[in-house]
Amino acid sequence: MSLLTPASEVIQRHLEHFTDRHVLLAGDIQDELGAILEAASVRVLTNQYHRWKNLQPALGENVLFASTATAEFVKPCDTLIYFWSKNKQEAAFQLDDLCTHLAAGSQIFIVGENRSGVKSAEAIMEGIATLQKIDSARRCGLYYGELEQPTEFDIKRWWRNYQVDNVKIHALPGVFSHNELDIGSDLLLSTLTEPMSGNVLDLACGNGVLAAVIGSQNPDVTLTLSDVSASAIDSATATLAANNLTGKVIPSDVYSDLDDKFDWIISNPPFHDGINTSYNAVETLIFQAPKYLKKGGHLRIVANAFLPYPDLLDKAFGGHVVLAKTGKFKVYEAIKR
């Protein structure tokens, strides 16, 4: 059993509220509270594939991996525990969705670390539920209210679209590079000047911008895109479709659900898990890359210049080169010999 986060520890201070309630946990779930919470029934909606995999053995069909809820999944619930996302727009998107399916009078608990901006919940829920702060502990705030006015969720309002050259990008809230191309991905794309062929994996694909640009410039490549986020999976799928590109889009915790070998692994990898810095995913990405590359295959990643990736690349591949750099970012390449 993993340790509970500070936010979940605050929820545990109020277990008497949930004993006879039908509870739905959603939002930025970072632990396995849903598997141990004592209530009349417990369901979990998670946007994170690795959280779903951890909870599924205990909860079965009562845990759903998806970017948005279904009415059928939410309808049995009369209480929402929402774990605040560090991305305010993602939180607004998810709460808009959830409060469409919950019945008026449902209890709503919103909890999060103060540094994540959980205080914004009061303003976001204005006109939907009047929230009051009922606890402050472990550097977290817990807010409570009852659903007064269910929302009318329309996902079309939440999609954002932009272009990179002639490539159309589609993204949902919370997906990296949601509103515009980030400068790290732009730097990585600037190094892709030579024709590419073979199987290309866009790992931690986000909205699919890297794969879409590569596919549009190299029509003979075979594209695979993977991410741990359901919103990223939906965004990347939409991006491929908008550009008439074909490819496999796979939910995967780094390489957990990938079986193929690739000529290229391309990535702008994250180094956060929620609001906390975490190198676990990147370390796995680099150290296991040789296993998923064909002989002569390339790993090319972009990262903040201060991150300790050169040593990791040297240990995994026996060497690396820097293809481009700015004051903030570097593009690294390593080849499987």
Side-chain angles (χ1 to χ4, degrees):
M1 183 65 201
S2 62
L3 295 175
L4 296 181
T5 63
S8 289
E9 290 177 349
V10 172
I11 292 296
Q12 284 201 308
R13 290 158 57 96
H14 301 270
L15 293 179
E16 69 279 2
H17 286 292
F18 310 115
T19 306
D20 60 351
R21 308 292 295 184
H22 298 278
V23 180
L24 172 65
L25 282 72
D28 188 22
I29 293 168
Q30 294 287 325
D31 59 28
E32 297 173 35
L33 176 67
I36 62 171
L37 185 68
E38 295 184 3
S41 67
V42 177
R43 294 188 169 203
V44 176
L45 171 67
T46 177
N47 186 47
Q48 299 293 309
Y49 185 64
H50 56 309
R51 302 298 172 197
W52 175 83
K53 289 190 79 168
N54 288 341
L55 289 165
Q56 202 274 333
L59 293 175
E61 293 182 354
N62 286 327
V63 57
L64 177 65
F65 167 67
S67 60
T68 56
T70 65
E72 180 183 21
F73 190 77
V74 177
K75 189 176 180 180
C77 303
D78 57 19
T79 301
L80 170 66
I81 301 175
Y82 182 81
F83 290 85
W84 190 254
S85 166
K86 69 171 184 177
N87 185 303
K88 183 177 176 181
Q89 196 167 30
E90 181 180 40
F93 165 71
Q94 293 175 342
L95 287 165
D96 183 20
D97 173 41
L98 292 163
C99 290
T100 289
H101 303 303
L102 289 166
S106 296
Q107 296 184 355
I108 296 176
F109 295 82
I110 298 179
V111 64
E113 294 191 39
N114 297 325
R115 61 182 174 142
S116 72
V118 65
K119 194 177 189 317
S120 300
E122 294 177 277
I124 284 176
M125 294 297 286
E126 188 174 354
I128 303 168
T130 302
L131 297 181
Q132 291 185 322
K133 192 173 188 179
I134 62 170
D135 200 358
S136 181
R138 307 286 284 121
R139 297 181 179 176
C140 295
L142 175 63
Y143 296 80
Y144 170 78
E146 293 187 3
L147 182 60
E148 300 156 8
Q149 182 60 53
T151 54
E152 296 181 4
F153 179 73
D154 181 0
I155 198 168
K156 293 177 184 177
R157 294 200 306 260
W158 292 98
W159 280 105
R160 294 294 178 266
N161 310 308
Y162 60 91
Q163 288 197 187
V164 177
D165 296 328
N166 295 320
V167 178
K168 301 170 185 175
I169 308 302
H170 292 241
L172 289 171
V175 175
F176 182 66
S177 205
H178 170 229
N179 288 307
E180 60 184 359
L181 182 67
D182 67 285
I183 55 177
S185 294
D186 190 34
L187 185 65
L188 191 155
L189 288 171
S190 75
T191 69
L192 298 174
T193 55
E194 300 295 324
M196 297 173 66
S197 61
N199 295 336
V200 177
L201 170 63
D202 182 354
L203 193 58
C205 64
N207 58 32
V209 59
L210 299 179
V213 171
I214 291 169
S216 68
Q217 295 175 349
N218 304 273
D220 293 331
V221 298
T222 300
L223 296 174
T224 301
L225 297 77
S226 73
D227 204 288
V228 77
S229 158
S231 293
I233 294 297
D234 290 352
S235 299
T237 300
T239 293
L240 290 185
N243 295 283
N244 297 311
L245 295 169
T246 58
K248 293 189 291 185
V249 186
I250 301 170
S252 184
D253 183 7
V254 197
Y255 300 106
S256 68
D257 289 63
L258 298 171
D259 299 316
D260 297 332
K261 286 185 178 288
F262 301 92
D263 298 283
W264 292 87
I265 297 176
I266 307 289
S267 186
N268 183 352
F271 60 96
H272 289 96
D273 190 359
I275 59 175
N276 298 310
T277 298
S278 174
Y279 300 125
N280 291 342
V282 181
E283 289 177 355
T284 300
L285 187 158
I286 292 173
F287 282 132
Q288 291 193 19
K291 178 182 173 183
Y292 291 88
L293 284 170
K294 298 176 183 177
K295 186 175 180 180
H298 301 247
L299 171 68
R300 190 174 298 190
I301 63 173
V302 63
N304 290 75
F306 68 85
L307 293 171
Y309 296 168
D311 288 345
L312 300 180
L313 290 163
D314 290 345
K315 288 176 182 177
F317 287 88
H320 74 278
V321 294
V322 177
L323 297 179
K325 63 180 179 179
T326 65
K328 189 173 182 181
F329 292 98
K330 291 182 179 180
V331 177
Y332 301 101
E333 180 167 275
I335 299 173
K336 181 179 178 179
R337 302 299 180 184

